[in-house]
Amino acid sequence: MFFNDVFDHVRTRFNLVSVGMLSSEYAGNIEGVPIHIGMAMDRSKRATITATRPRGSDVGLTVSTGFGDGRLFDTGDRDFDGIFARRCARGDEQAARAICNSTARQHLHAMARAGDPTLTDGYASVSLSLFAISKEEIERLVLDAVAAASAADQCLDELDPPAAIVGAGLDRALTDAARPNGFAVRKHPFALAGTTAHGDQFLLRMTAHSPTFRAIDIAPPSPQGCAVHVSWREPLEGSISARPANLVDRAQTMLGFGDIIVGDPEFDKAFTLSARGEGDAAQRVIASQLNERARSLLMRARSMGMQCALDERRLFAFGPQPASGEAAQEIVRLFTAVGPALRDRGPSGPYR
């Protein structure tokens, strides 16, 4: 009953909602920071409070009271460094030091008095035992986690891009690609964003260590990756959709049912298509928008390792880190051209 009292207090105090099947997890938002609180379903009576960093970093950061292998960096705070293990990617030590600033360290220290805190590129958390902890103490821990997550994000606009992206020359190439499109460049985590000449909303994120792509809730297949999101200026016609074909889709197509085809063997093999309507009507909707030019762009992106899916409102794509700056610029050209190609009802080449 005591543990339920503690959880009920936190839920009421911060207006959280139950997200677990057995009401052992709560979630909400405190001062713009997503918060999650969960209790282990065993006899340990341990709970974890996790505050997701609103923006997050990309330096392979882990700061915790545990021990483990990894590249250490010093914060300049002897008391803190004596308690916390600090790991980050090679070349990103200065950025990691800035992220782990005095305010973040202060709140991590406070959490360490009651549990085991952790700060990563994505979140600040604390794991603790609920034995003999008061409602006021757990309330303070929630606020400390939120404050640590917020503080860690404060310096991001002043940081250089992640060293792995700089070392590959991708930051310079993508900055050059952003300029003629009028896209804004965010150095850390590295991203391009803006509106294309045709009115579509464009977002590209390049990751070196942290695969999360929060804006669209998809992730590259590995920590070093690239993700793109394009929102069409106007919805496409007919609830059209295209996604990468899986083995079941391919088997159904071979058997002659379950998919719309456009008569392009390589494209039909690579994608599963659907549209509003039946038979010839759906076929016409698909053919008019997934025309030769649009298919060429999507297949070129696929040849570069990008997995693409689109519907009437948007396109998602994700894949590995581009092999060169030229390849990164090609990705920008491809995905800024897809929207106009889908609206083009006349024949043309792969680029305009």
Side-chain angles (χ1 to χ4, degrees), residues 144-160:
D144 280 323
V146 168
S150 295
D153 275 6
Q154 287 177 355
C155 66
L156 296 180
D157 288 330
E158 302 168 10
L159 301 182
D160 291 330

Side-chain angles (χ1 to χ4, degrees), residues 102-117:
S102 60
T103 303
R105 296 197 305 270
Q106 173 190 337
H107 291 286
L108 289 168
H109 252 311
M111 290 189 284
R113 299 188 187 103
D116 300 313

Side-chain angles (χ1 to χ4, degrees), residues 168-254:
L170 299 178
D171 62 318
R172 293 190 303 274
L174 287 169
T175 298
D176 289 344
R179 194 171 297 116
N181 287 290
F183 294 156
V185 178
R186 188 179 70 188
K187 292 184 177 181
H188 199 100
F190 196 87
L192 308 184
T195 303
T196 72
H198 300 275
D200 297 325
Q201 294 297 313
F202 179 90
L203 174 64
L204 176 148
R205 169 141 178 212
M206 194 70 62
T207 57
H209 308 286
S210 174
T212 305
F213 192 21
R214 291 181 179 83
I216 59 176
D217 197 28
I218 66 170
S222 66
Q224 288 193 332
C226 177
V228 177
H229 178 213
V230 184
S231 296
W232 313 130
R233 179 193 68 219
E234 297 174 354
L236 303 179
E237 299 173 12
S239 296
I240 183 175
S241 74
R243 60 176 173 80
N246 58 35
L247 292 176
V248 173
D249 296 326
R250 290 168 183 162
Q252 289 180 332
T253 300
M254 290 176 65

Side-chain angles (χ1 to χ4, degrees), residues 2-14:
F2 172 76
F3 306 116
N4 290 336
D5 287 346
V6 169
F7 267 67
D8 285 344
H9 171 76
V10 172
R11 176 182 59 79
T12 303
R13 169 67 177 81
F14 297 111

Side-chain angles (χ1 to χ4, degrees), residues 233-351:
R233 179 193 68 219
E234 297 174 354
L236 303 179
E237 299 173 12
S239 296
I240 183 175
S241 74
R243 60 176 173 80
N246 58 35
L247 292 176
V248 173
D249 296 326
R250 290 168 183 162
Q252 289 180 332
T253 300
M254 290 176 65
L255 294 171
F257 63 90
D259 190 18
I260 297 174
I261 62 173
V262 295
D264 181 335
E266 291 302 313
F267 187 86
D268 289 334
K269 182 180 178 181
F271 290 91
T272 295
L273 311 176
S274 67
R276 183 188 300 124
E278 298 181 359
D280 291 345
Q283 191 85 33
R284 285 193 296 271
V285 167
I286 287 286
S288 67
Q289 293 171 99
L290 284 170
N291 51 60
E292 182 179 359
R293 179 169 173 249
R295 297 197 306 270
S296 176
L297 292 167
L298 293 172
M299 290 300 287
R300 172 58 181 154
R302 185 174 181 272
S303 74
M304 299 176 70
M306 300 294 289
Q307 295 293 310
C308 307
L310 64 84
D311 61 25
E312 71 271 20
R313 296 189 177 276
R314 56 192 178 177
L315 174 146
F316 298 146
F318 57 91
Q321 179 175 296
S324 66
E326 291 78 10
Q329 292 177 337
E330 176 79 349
I331 287 172
V332 175
R333 287 194 295 268
L334 286 170
F335 290 114
T336 52
V338 171
L342 290 165
R343 301 181 190 108
D344 185 3
R345 298 299 183 264
S348 63
Y351 294 105

